[in-house]
Each structure stands twice: as structure tokens, then as C-alpha cells.
Amino acid sequence: MATLHSAPRFTQIDGLKDTLGGALGAHLLDVHEEHGELLFTVKRESIEDVLRILRDDHKYQQLMEIAGVDYPSRAERFEVVYMLLSLTTNNRIMVKCSASEDTLVPTATTLWPNAGWLEREVFDMYGVLFAGNTDLRRILTDYGFEGHPFRKDFPLTGYHELRYSEDEKRVVYEPVELAQDLRQFDFMSPWEGADYVLPGDEKADVPPVDEPKTTETPKDTGAGKKTDEHAADKVSAGAPAEEDGGENAPAPEPTEDQPARAEREGKTTDTAEATEPDTPDNDAGGPAPAAGKRKS
């Protein structure tokens, strides 16, 4: 039996663009659809008011994520993206604003407590500052870390390396020293259809075969009726292995003589009981073999 619920499975975004855009009013800079979701670009100084309107008036109760994006060529290189979820309508939207390295973005901790951790992550990875966050410190990198790893101009190797020093018996930070500068290789595999010739491949540059060589008659390949008549003949007929073999064939003579091994000298730890063969005489209490003689 199907269970009906008052909340729809999802909300159609048709008409939602005009509804939310009108509610945001002068705070809104741009709105468009991406991947089936609405993306609102708003003024940076209005971000707290925008999020409050969406939470209180349009039932976007949950702040799911705060992400950062870096565009170094822009005057305000960073974008802070807020992802909201409405449990009532089962709908998600994104709200974003821009910021630079020294501009402050109003905090969302006054609306959602979990925004504190999310803003710390954006600060740690991108260096975006949030005004009103009372605990804005690094959350993923170490306390003495320099720079922000998700910035596009941050070197792939970093500035310092972390290792354990056996001499000092502690963890030490050292500047990164590379034997050569980081280089970019864009070599493609020949199987992926590279449009250049790898060193050595020029030797294999042969013209393609227009018409493969084929045989016209069976005699060109050694086949045919004459060959089939002798197919059952044994090739090994008359060989020594064929003549000397069989069920009643005698065992072959040894190819070399091996002299008898001399009897071992010295004491032995073997006892008569340990080397006693299993014979009827021994089972009846008969004489046992001398100590030191091994069973054969």
C-alpha cells in the first residue's frame, strides 16, 4: 500500500526563480539555472540577510555546505558558495558572493551553528575572512602552516616539508628542496591516438599493405588430397623408442656404477627400538637388529 506524504518528492524550479528573485530584491545580482538547481549571486554585504530570508520565509532550513572557488584573474578572486536544502519542498539551491583577500564576508554563524566549522575550512583552504566568526582559525592544516593550499597560485609542492628527524628525535619543518623544477609532461600513450611521433617510433613508419597476400590453390600451403592420405602415418615408426618399448621390455642398464657407501664411524644416538624393523620376529619378542643400523 502506497503511503502518501504531504511533502512532494521534489519541487519544480519553474516559477521558483521569479519567486525567490523577487523576495531577494535589491540584494540579488544574478540568478540562473545550473545542473537542475538555481544559483543566486548576491551582494557580499547582504549575504546574511539573504540567507535569513531564505531560511525564515522560504523554508530552506538547512545549510548543507560552504565551499570556496578561486579565480586569480578576477579583481575579487574568491567566490563563497552556500548550499541550502529545504526539507519541506525537498529542493536545493545555491547562493554565492565574491570576495578578495582582504575583504570581510559576514558570518552565517548567527543563522546556523555548523557554519562556524564550514567557514573555518574556507578560511584555511582559501584565506577568505569572515566577519563575526569568533573562532576563525585553521581546521585542516597545522597551526604553523603557511599559505592556503586551494589557491591556484599555491605551489603543488608547498613551501615546507614535514618529517621526523632521527637526529633530533622530533618532527621538524624544512623548506622544500627539489632536485629540479616541477615540470609538466603531456605525453600521450600511442594507444590513445597521439598526433606526434615518440622517439624511436619513426623506425616503424612503414606504408600500409593495400592487399594482403593470399594463397590461390591448396598446393601452395602443402594441403590437399595427397597430403591427407599420409596424415595417419606415424612419423616415429622405426625409431629406437618404438622398437625397444612395450610392457615386457627389460629395464634399462645403469649408465654408471656407484660404489657402496662406507659404513659411518663414530657414536650414534639411534637406539635398537628406534631402528627396529616391523617384522613378525620382532613382534613376538625376537632379536632386534644391532644399534646404529638404520631401517632400509
Side-chain angles (χ1 to χ4, degrees):
M1 179 179 178
T3 303
L4 300 179
H5 196 276
S6 58
R9 295 182 59 184
F10 59 90
T11 297
Q12 298 289 344
I13 63 175
D14 298 338
L16 188 61
K17 175 180 177 180
D18 296 334
T19 301
L20 298 181
L24 299 182
H27 304 307
L28 184 64
L29 298 178
D30 179 66
V31 56
H32 62 277
E33 178 184 346
E34 285 189 8
H35 310 294
E37 296 180 0
L38 291 178
L39 177 60
F40 297 86
T41 303
V42 301
K43 299 178 181 178
R44 179 180 59 256
E45 60 274 9
S46 303
I47 187 64
E48 183 179 2
D49 297 331
V50 168
L51 296 177
R52 179 177 286 105
I53 292 173
L54 294 173
R55 185 196 67 174
D56 298 343
D57 300 340
H58 298 275
K59 302 179 181 180
Y60 286 91
Q61 300 97 335
Q62 289 194 2
L63 173 65
M64 305 302 297
E65 181 63 272
I66 301 178
V69 189
D70 184 18
Y71 299 95
S73 59
R74 297 182 182 178
E76 293 188 343
R77 60 183 296 181
F78 303 116
E79 284 187 350
V80 183
V81 185
Y82 301 80
M83 303 174 191
L84 306 182
L85 169 64
S86 172
L87 299 177
T88 306
T89 61
N90 193 16
N91 175 254
R92 298 173 185 266
I93 62 173
M94 292 182 290
V95 181
K96 69 177 182 179
C97 65
S98 61
S100 61
E101 300 180 15
D102 53 355
T103 55
L104 298 176
V105 178
T107 184
T109 54
T110 57
L111 304 173
W112 293 283
N114 67 318
W117 290 74
L118 302 176
E119 290 175 355
R120 285 177 59 183
E121 182 177 353
V122 176
F123 163 73
D124 193 1
M125 296 292 103
Y126 294 92
V128 178
L129 302 175
F130 293 89
N133 190 319
T134 58
D135 191 22
L136 195 62
R137 53 195 172 95
R138 293 187 181 272
I139 191 173
L140 296 178
T141 59
D142 199 4
Y143 297 107
F145 192 87
E146 296 182 8
H148 304 280
F150 280 6
R151 290 188 179 185
K152 297 294 180 62
D153 52 5
F154 188 82
L156 298 180
T157 57
Y159 297 105
H160 294 83
E161 62 180 353
L162 176 69
R163 68 177 181 87
Y164 180 80
S165 173
E166 289 290 348
D167 298 333
E168 301 183 26
K169 302 299 181 183
R170 66 181 183 87
V171 176
V172 297
Y173 286 88
E174 293 179 342
V176 175
E177 294 182 3
L178 299 178
Q180 64 180 15
D181 293 337
L182 181 66
R183 296 181 295 173
Q184 299 290 342
F185 300 92
D186 68 352
F187 292 134
M188 292 178 60
S189 169
W191 293 275
E192 297 175 355
D195 55 357
Y196 50 82
V197 179
L198 295 176
D201 285 356
E202 66 278 358
K203 301 176 183 179
D205 187 12
V206 295
V209 178
D210 296 333
E211 295 183 2
K213 183 179 179 181
T214 58
T215 56
E216 298 178 357
T217 60
K219 67 179 182 180
D220 293 337
T221 60
K225 182 178 179 181
K226 185 176 181 181
T227 304
D228 294 340
E229 294 176 355
H230 301 280
D233 296 343
K234 282 190 175 183
V235 179
S236 61
E242 292 284 344
E243 297 178 357
D244 298 339
E247 296 181 357
N248 300 324
E253 296 294 331
T255 58
E256 61 180 10
D257 295 332
Q258 182 177 3
R261 184 172 56 184
E263 188 173 345
R264 184 173 58 181
E265 298 179 357
K267 296 182 179 180
T268 176
T269 58
D270 296 340
T271 62
E273 292 78 4
T275 60
E276 183 177 6
D278 296 332
T279 62
D281 293 339
N282 291 334
D283 295 338
K293 301 294 184 178
R294 301 181 62 86
K295 293 192 296 183
S296 58

